[in-house]
Amino acid sequence: MMNQLELNDYKQAIADLYNRRSQTYDESEWHLQICLNLLKYSQTSVGQRILDIGTGTGHLAIAAAQIVGDEGRVIGVDICAGMLEQARRKAKVLGLNHVEFQLADAEALNYPTNSFDQILCANTFPWIEDKEVALRRWYQFLKPGGFIGIHTPAQTAYVGYVVLRKVFERYGVILEPSNRIGSVETCHNLFANAGFEVVEITTEQHGGYISLDKAKATWEGIVVHPLPRQSENLLSQLSSQQLLQAKAEFEAELEALQSKLLIWDDLTTLYILGRKPERSILQSS
Ligand SMILES: C[S@@+](CC[C@H](N)C(=O)[O-])C[C@H]1O[C@@H](n2cnc3c(N)ncnc32)[C@H](O)[C@@H]1O
């Protein structure tokens, strides 16, 4: 299926990436589990109207549709046509008529104000380019008293990224490959700045031990084959000699972390639950 959205090069690269993954995406249980956790923390209930941001193959949207029932409604949006195709196919098999999948950029949505009881976003928030602007936009779509639930990996997650970030900082380069929001404190500030009350931030650890080679492969993904915009700064700020040296330092630091041929790969995961106040300042102004 053609992607009919006008996307910038960064978002087009994301859509292409997930188009390539769409056929096999559901083979892993990981994403589904995160979606079910987010639904549990968000206390989604019968009759609600839910917006699923970056719905992918519809893990969260479909589970939400089963919870809200026929009296509720779920909309899942995504920029990737291939992922949505899978989501629509699954909803059809299950006979779910109250879930709809829309090809749309989550940062350019345009629903009437106060449309949804909950806006949920699993495994997608790190991709959002301007998080503060996006949150303000989503705030408008949420009913007063409605909940926003967002899942994101913490700043400490993924040992390859953590070490890479530290090495590049020594060269004066700020590297944020996964563009994640990181700490509990930054989550609080981000949400509060968009007008939400932070209800709860739940932290889970999903880490495990990985091989040195897997950790080292982060260099390939971020430095050698980055998505557009992710490494423009990086590559323009460092000479090829500096890059070689940075790579050697990166690998040496990972090797130092190795124990019994394995490395601990932290995967601290945050579930942030916010609420749009009943009487919102943004609404009355
Ligand atoms: C890791 S998948 C998560 C899918 C689903 N939420 C899940 O947990 O299984 C990330 C999804 O976000 C989508 N995405 C990334 N940026 C987006 C944007 N700006 N608007 C809508 N979808 C976006 C991608 O196309 C992809 O399908």
Side-chain angles (χ1 to χ4, degrees):
M1 192 192 287
M2 291 292 291
N3 193 334
Q4 294 143 4
L5 286 176
E6 287 277 321
L7 298 173
N8 65 28
D9 54 355
Y10 166 71
K11 289 181 185 176
Q12 188 58 56
I14 296 173
D16 293 345
L17 175 77
Y18 282 103
N19 266 320
R20 288 194 296 275
R21 289 188 186 167
S22 60
Q23 299 291 325
T24 53
Y25 184 84
D26 285 2
E27 285 173 9
S28 152
E29 291 275 299
W30 161 255
H31 295 103
L32 174 62
Q33 194 51 55
I34 294 286
C35 292
L36 298 179
N37 290 351
L38 185 60
L39 279 168
K40 180 182 70 185
Y41 293 129
S42 307
Q43 297 178 20
T44 306
S45 58
V46 176
Q48 290 187 320
R49 294 177 64 91
I50 312 290
L51 176 62
D52 178 20
I53 300 282
T55 191
T57 60
H59 283 322
L60 187 144
I62 288 172
Q66 289 168 327
I67 296 170
V68 301
D70 288 342
E71 290 160 36
R73 182 165 158 73
V74 181
I75 296 179
V77 295
D78 205 288
I79 52 173
C80 175
M83 296 288 266
L84 291 176
E85 213 174 290
Q86 300 297 323
R88 291 191 186 108
R89 182 185 54 75
K90 290 181 340 193
K92 195 171 171 195
V93 169
L94 291 166
L96 295 171
N97 299 320
H98 56 292
V99 55
E100 183 189 337
F101 294 101
Q102 300 176 349
L103 185 66
D105 178 357
E107 294 183 73
L109 296 173
N110 206 3
Y111 297 112
T113 49
N114 306 342
S115 292
F116 299 97
D117 297 291
Q118 296 196 343
I119 297 179
L120 304 177
C121 178
N123 296 303
T124 299
F125 202 58
W127 292 122
I128 298 299
E129 268 193 302
D130 193 331
K131 294 175 173 53
E132 192 154 333
V133 170
L135 282 174
R136 284 179 184 277
R137 182 178 279 262
W138 301 343
Y139 179 98
Q140 299 298 331
F141 308 148
L142 206 53
K143 295 178 188 172
F147 284 98
I148 181 154
I150 287 185
H151 148 264
T152 188
Q155 194 76 2
T156 53
Y158 303 116
V159 64
Y161 292 149
V162 171
V163 172
L164 201 60
R165 197 187 297 130
K166 202 166 76 185
V167 168
F168 278 113
E169 259 173 36
R170 289 205 291 267
Y171 289 81
V173 175
I174 302 301
L175 173 69
E176 190 40 276
S178 71
N179 193 19
R180 63 188 80 137
I181 51 176
S183 68
V184 167
E185 193 187 354
T186 41
C187 291
H188 261 283
N189 293 340
L190 191 66
F191 275 59
N193 288 345
F196 295 107
E197 296 166 349
V198 176
V199 178
E200 194 173 28
I201 300 181
T202 308
T203 304
E204 288 181 1
Q205 177 57 262
H206 296 282
Y209 285 93
I210 59 169
S211 68
L212 182 61
D213 283 348
K214 187 167 181 199
K216 283 184 179 176
T218 308
W219 182 275
E220 280 293 304
I222 302 303
V223 184
V224 184
H225 301 295
L227 289 181
R229 294 177 196 214
Q230 280 190 314
S231 71
E232 276 160 16
N233 277 348
L234 175 71
L235 297 177
S236 63
Q237 287 179 58
L238 295 184
S239 67
S240 47
Q241 182 58 37
Q242 284 175 312
L243 273 174
L244 271 180
Q245 197 176 328
K247 186 175 184 195
E249 290 173 25
F250 167 70
E251 296 195 346
E253 289 203 24
L254 286 177
E255 279 157 26
L257 291 173
Q258 191 182 208
S259 157
K260 293 186 186 156
L261 298 178
L262 292 170
I263 295 185
W264 171 250
D265 194 31
D266 175 284
L267 186 36
T268 304
T269 302
L270 306 176
Y271 299 88
I272 310 142
L273 188 62
R275 180 168 42 215
K276 178 172 177 174
E278 291 287 352
R279 284 176 197 215
S280 113
I281 301 163
L282 296 181
Q283 207 187 15
S284 58
S285 62

